[in-house]
Amino acid sequence: MSYISLLRAIEARELCRERVISIGVTKRLMDAVELMVAHGVRHLLKVEGEDVAGVLSVRDVIEELSRDPGNVFSTKIGDVGSREIYWVPQEASLMDTISALAEKDIGVVAIWRENSILCFVGEKDIIRTAARWDLRGRVYSAMSKDVRYLTPESTVSDAVRLMAREKVRHVPVVSSFGLIGMFTSRDLLNKLVGRTMEGVDELWLTSLEQVASPNPLTIDASSPLNEALKIMRSFNVGSLLVMEYGELVGILTERDVVKYIYKLIGGERIES
């Protein structure tokens, strides 16, 4: 079966895993952080009374905090995030869903059933499904080669600003001796929960050496792409650092994989 036939045969609703967690527009950003951590999600449905008011993503949170960490306590949910919701009907195919994610450059689409949102389907769901396929290609075919990294002496503030500027969620930490860790949006949210304003200020000045996750998962650039997807699914991570002869040469993210599959089904030539 071709990729196109396979993706047309799978309905998007079959991938429903990410629960729709809602948050009122009058709540504060810290409330959103706590909900994301508690439920393990990266997107929240913004609601105003019984009306849907948009979607708040972890990238929206990072962008707001990059301006001022104090915004975590002062900014209302209604003032951040998108008021637009990208959705597909529940009978839409996986091909439709991947196309929507890639063309809009977004992390999730809503699956619409009758007059309500059934669930969100996102990049992580695509990874879980694609890991079961015999997806052709090597890691270097899909990875991002322009890796933005920071040093151990860099601070959490530096990392947040980099994430916001480059629109990324994963920041490798590299010393003169090589790769030593990774700081992610998940790390950031986990460390924000329960802090006072004074605690947030302290976190912003903390070096990445103290807070980055050590021993990040890596993969060789020439490894089969399907092997990378299986690792990402097994360890529930959103990225792998790509190495070649012991050097960091790229990063493979969920979004990279979605865009790679989109190119496959769109007929664009892909290096293999």
Side-chain angles (χ1 to χ4, degrees):
M1 181 182 291
S2 69
Y3 289 123
I4 291 179
S5 299
L6 176 65
L7 295 174
R8 283 177 174 163
I10 301 173
E11 291 189 350
R13 60 183 170 183
E14 296 176 36
L15 275 67
C16 280
R17 287 178 178 267
E18 186 166 332
R19 296 170 54 199
V20 178
I21 307 298
S22 61
I23 186 168
V25 294
T26 59
K27 293 288 188 178
R28 306 289 172 170
L29 211 56
M30 181 59 92
D31 298 313
V33 169
E34 291 172 348
L35 276 176
M36 287 179 174
V37 170
H39 295 281
V41 298
R42 299 198 297 254
H43 300 83
L44 299 174
L45 186 69
K46 300 193 301 180
V47 295
E48 187 169 8
E50 295 183 358
D51 297 326
V52 173
V55 174
L56 178 76
S57 72
V58 68
R59 288 191 178 187
D60 296 324
V61 174
I62 289 170
E63 184 174 345
E64 189 66 19
L65 295 182
S66 71
R67 299 188 182 101
D68 183 346
N71 288 346
V72 75
F73 296 107
S74 61
T75 299
K76 291 184 178 180
I77 299 305
D79 296 330
V80 293
S82 172
R83 295 194 63 84
E84 187 171 10
I85 297 179
Y86 296 103
W87 62 274
V88 295
Q90 64 172 343
E91 65 273 11
S93 69
L94 182 54
M95 183 172 175
D96 297 327
T97 305
I98 290 174
S99 296
L101 291 171
E103 290 170 6
K104 301 295 184 182
D105 194 28
I106 52 177
V108 296
V109 293
I111 305 301
W112 191 261
R113 180 177 62 183
E114 297 177 351
N115 293 316
S116 64
I117 294 175
L118 175 64
C119 69
F120 286 132
V121 169
E123 298 160 332
K124 187 174 290 293
D125 303 304
I126 305 301
I127 297 298
R128 291 192 186 104
T129 302
R132 299 196 297 266
W133 308 338
D134 184 21
L135 190 62
R136 75 169 187 260
R138 301 285 173 176
V139 169
Y140 60 72
S141 302
M143 71 181 191
S144 294
K145 299 179 177 66
D146 185 16
V147 187
R148 301 305 175 96
Y149 63 86
L150 292 173
T151 64
E153 298 76 27
S154 302
T155 64
V156 169
S157 177
D158 295 327
V160 173
R161 289 199 301 269
L162 176 63
M163 288 177 176
R165 184 175 68 249
E166 301 297 331
K167 301 186 184 304
V168 297
R169 294 187 294 106
H170 310 89
V171 179
V173 182
V174 181
S175 74
S176 57
F177 300 102
L179 177 66
I180 68 165
M182 175 94 90
F183 187 72
T184 70
S185 59
R186 184 187 301 180
D187 294 324
L188 175 64
L189 297 193
N190 285 338
K191 294 186 182 302
L192 277 171
V193 170
R195 288 183 181 263
T196 62
M197 187 65 247
E198 184 180 61
V200 172
D201 287 339
E202 180 183 337
L203 176 63
W204 248 234
L205 297 175
T206 302
S207 70
L208 295 182
E209 186 174 25
Q210 295 176 264
V211 295
S213 299
N215 305 314
L217 292 170
T218 64
I219 192 164
D220 192 82
S222 61
S223 295
L225 184 57
N226 204 47
E227 178 184 328
L229 302 193
K230 289 176 180 177
I231 294 172
M232 293 170 75
R233 181 185 64 179
S234 297
F235 289 90
N236 191 32
V237 295
S239 69
L240 295 176
L241 295 177
V242 184
M243 311 296 288
E244 192 170 54
Y245 304 113
E247 296 290 330
L248 178 64
V249 295
I251 185 169
L252 180 71
T253 68
E254 293 166 342
R255 188 155 301 189
D256 291 327
V257 175
V258 169
K259 289 182 176 179
Y260 181 83
I261 296 172
Y262 178 68
K263 289 179 180 178
L264 282 180
I265 62 178
E268 294 185 31
R269 183 181 180 278
I270 295 179
E271 185 180 2
S272 61

